[in-house]
């Protein structure tokens, strides 16, 4: 009902909105409306006046359900959502919810993470209020082998959403990086729970540096990390970006799970910064260098070595570096 009160307050009213009017419209008591207005104030909404006439004068830059779901055009993605001012890792919180039965499309968002994770035990830096640090629970009817494709498809969704909201031409570095002008602007961490060969659910974690300023990054990341704000030269509406991301992901997951990977992989190839590049693949067993020539139907990278052999590289335990050209 808090969202409904906010919706009422958002409508134009030259003399403000009396609590009794909102109450009558929503079938609440005026006292409940007063309580909900107080809650909205505590969350950061600027609401002037009192019960005789409330006026909404400012909205917080927070990814509250009231903001994200206001104008959301999806059926499943983000329809159920949990917002944390701070959390260890949204992937961990989403997994806890998934274990307890959270439905397909459940979204977990945090303003900041204290234990944000990358792949291979790496740390993900998540400055407060400045990025998208979020996870989606997805429950497709699929084999576990689809997991690497979920990451690739999610990257396509992120690039599409960035283009739609900012016009910036982000690219994808295999397997899970989103890049802007050669620097890392985001990353994806997909974690699957399996029952035999079937996927029980997957938690798709997405980190995007939206309004992060250079000094918010630790010094060691400043040369390699960037933000959409740095690329665009102005702040970006994070809630609008989440909505667009959810819309794109809903379409892309439907395409992947109902129609197969071919169409999405064609788009991935066009958005990839990796194909055609000289790469070094770093694995626990040693390094491999060659030219990245294509992506396989299961999401593996195909690398042509100097001897002309094509080697399949799966995302699992590897890192990828571009070789200087
Ligand atoms: C990734 O790992 O790129 C996946 C990142 C996924 C983060 C999201 S946020 C929401 C959800 N909850 C989580 O706990 N995680 C997900 P990887 O490819 O391993 O890259 C990690 C490396 O990127 C680090 O070792 C740093 O070098 C660098 N890095 C860390 N934070 C960064 C940031 N904010 N921007 C750019 N680079 C960063």
């Amino acid at each position: 009902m808090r969202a409904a009160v906010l919706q009422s307050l958002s409508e134009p009213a030259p003399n403000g909105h009396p609590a009794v009017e909102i109450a009558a419209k929503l079938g609440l008591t005026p006292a409940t409306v007063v309580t909900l207005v107080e809650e909205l104030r505590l969350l950061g909404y600027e609401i002037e006046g009192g019960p005789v006439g409330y006026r909404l004068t400012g909205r917080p830059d927070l990814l509250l359900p009231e903001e994200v779901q206001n104008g959301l055009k999806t059926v499943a993605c983000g329809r159920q959502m949990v917002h944390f001012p701070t959390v260890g890792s949204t992937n961990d919180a989403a997994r806890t919810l998934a274990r307890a039965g959270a439905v397909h499309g459940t979204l977990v968002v945090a303003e900041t993470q204290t234990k944000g994770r990358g792949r291979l035990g790496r740390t993900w830096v998540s400055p407060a209020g400045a990025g998208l640090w979020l996870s989606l629970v997805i429950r497709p009817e699929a084999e576990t082998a689809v997991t690497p494709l979920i990451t690739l498809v999610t990257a396509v969704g992120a690039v599409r959403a960035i283009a739609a909201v900012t016009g910036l031409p982000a690219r994808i570095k295999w397997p899970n990086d989103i890049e802007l002008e050669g620097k890392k602007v985001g990353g994806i961490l997909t974690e699957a729970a399996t029952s035999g060969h079937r996927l029980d659910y997957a938690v798709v974690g997405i980190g995007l540096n939206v309004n992060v300023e250079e000094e918010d990054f630790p010094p060691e990341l400043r040369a390699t990390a960037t933000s959409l704000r740095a690329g665009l030269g102005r702040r970006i509406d994070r809630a609008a970006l989440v909505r667009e991301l959810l819309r794109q992901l809903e379409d892309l997951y439907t395409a992947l799970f109902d129609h197969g990977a071919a169409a999405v992989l064609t788009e991935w190839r066009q958005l990839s910064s990796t194909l055609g590049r000289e790469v070094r693949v770093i694995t626990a067993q040693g390094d491999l260098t060659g030219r990245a020539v294509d992506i396989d139907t299961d999401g593996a990278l195909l690398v042509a070595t100097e001897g002309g052999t094509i080697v399949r590289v799966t995302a699992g335990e590897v890192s990828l570096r571009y070789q200087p050209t």
Side-chain angles (χ1 to χ4, degrees):
M1 286 325 280
R2 207 168 62 199
V5 170
L6 182 63
Q7 184 60 41
S8 296
L9 290 172
S10 309
E11 285 157 18
N15 302 317
H17 297 271
V20 284
E21 267 181 27
I22 300 175
K25 195 164 97 185
L26 301 178
L28 303 171
T29 65
T32 306
V33 171
V34 170
T35 307
L36 293 172
V37 166
E38 281 315 312
E39 276 184 34
L40 287 167
R41 282 177 169 150
L42 283 174
L43 288 170
Y45 289 90
E46 288 164 30
I47 301 167
E48 290 177 0
V52 290
Y54 290 119
R55 201 173 282 109
L56 179 68
T57 55
R59 311 178 80 102
D61 176 17
L62 295 172
L63 296 172
L64 296 163
E66 283 83 349
E67 298 300 309
V68 170
Q69 294 176 332
N70 180 13
L72 182 64
K73 295 192 180 68
T74 58
V75 175
C77 287
R79 285 288 152 202
Q80 297 292 324
M81 77 170 277
V82 181
H83 170 266
F84 291 100
T86 177
V87 74
S89 153
T90 57
N91 266 36
D92 294 343
R95 191 164 33 186
T96 303
L97 290 174
R99 283 204 193 110
V103 296
H104 175 79
T106 300
L107 173 67
V108 176
V109 183
E111 298 299 329
T112 187
Q113 301 181 110
T114 55
K115 292 197 178 93
R117 289 189 283 115
R119 300 183 307 135
L120 313 171
R122 296 191 280 235
T123 299
W124 185 258
V125 175
S126 319
L132 301 191
W133 327 124
L134 59 84
S135 302
L136 269 177
V137 175
I138 59 169
R139 294 185 180 277
E141 285 290 322
E143 303 273 318
T144 56
V146 81
T147 309
L149 292 170
I150 295 174
T151 301
L152 301 191
V153 162
T154 303
V156 170
V159 169
R160 280 191 191 177
I162 291 167
V165 173
T166 68
L168 292 169
R171 312 282 306 273
I172 305 165
K173 180 180 173 194
W174 185 91
N176 69 316
D177 284 2
I178 312 294
E179 288 183 336
L180 193 62
E181 290 164 8
K183 289 184 169 187
K184 185 155 172 167
V185 75
I188 295 160
L189 177 68
T190 305
E191 296 177 309
T194 58
S195 309
H197 290 300
R198 305 293 295 171
L199 197 61
D200 189 7
Y201 62 84
V203 170
V204 186
I206 304 169
L208 271 184
N209 303 323
V210 183
N211 293 321
V212 181
E213 308 221 37
E214 198 184 333
E215 56 268 27
D216 296 335
F217 289 119
E220 66 275 14
L221 284 187
R222 286 183 196 159
T224 56
T226 189
S227 71
L228 299 178
R229 179 185 186 160
L232 197 63
R234 60 174 165 81
R235 288 181 72 80
I236 291 142
D237 179 349
R238 289 186 304 147
L241 187 60
V242 179
R243 280 194 293 274
E244 184 62 21
L245 180 64
L246 294 171
R247 194 172 75 84
Q248 297 293 352
L249 291 179
E250 188 157 288
D251 285 356
L252 285 160
Y253 292 149
T254 303
L256 173 66
F257 298 124
D258 293 359
H259 307 295
V264 188
L265 286 180
T266 301
E267 188 172 351
W268 189 94
R269 289 184 182 96
Q270 288 158 4
L271 299 176
S272 154
S273 65
T274 304
L275 299 184
R277 295 283 291 263
E278 295 293 328
V279 298
R280 185 152 63 95
V281 183
I282 301 146
T283 77
Q285 289 75 44
D287 293 4
L288 166 86
T289 54
R291 182 179 294 269
V293 287
D294 201 0
I295 189 97
D296 212 344
T297 49
D298 62 355
L301 188 67
L302 301 178
V303 178
T305 62
E306 247 177 29
T309 323
I310 303 282
V311 181
R312 272 172 48 85
V313 184
T314 51
E317 301 287 300
V318 306
S319 290
L320 187 84
R321 301 255 185 289
Y322 291 150
Q323 299 283 77
T325 44

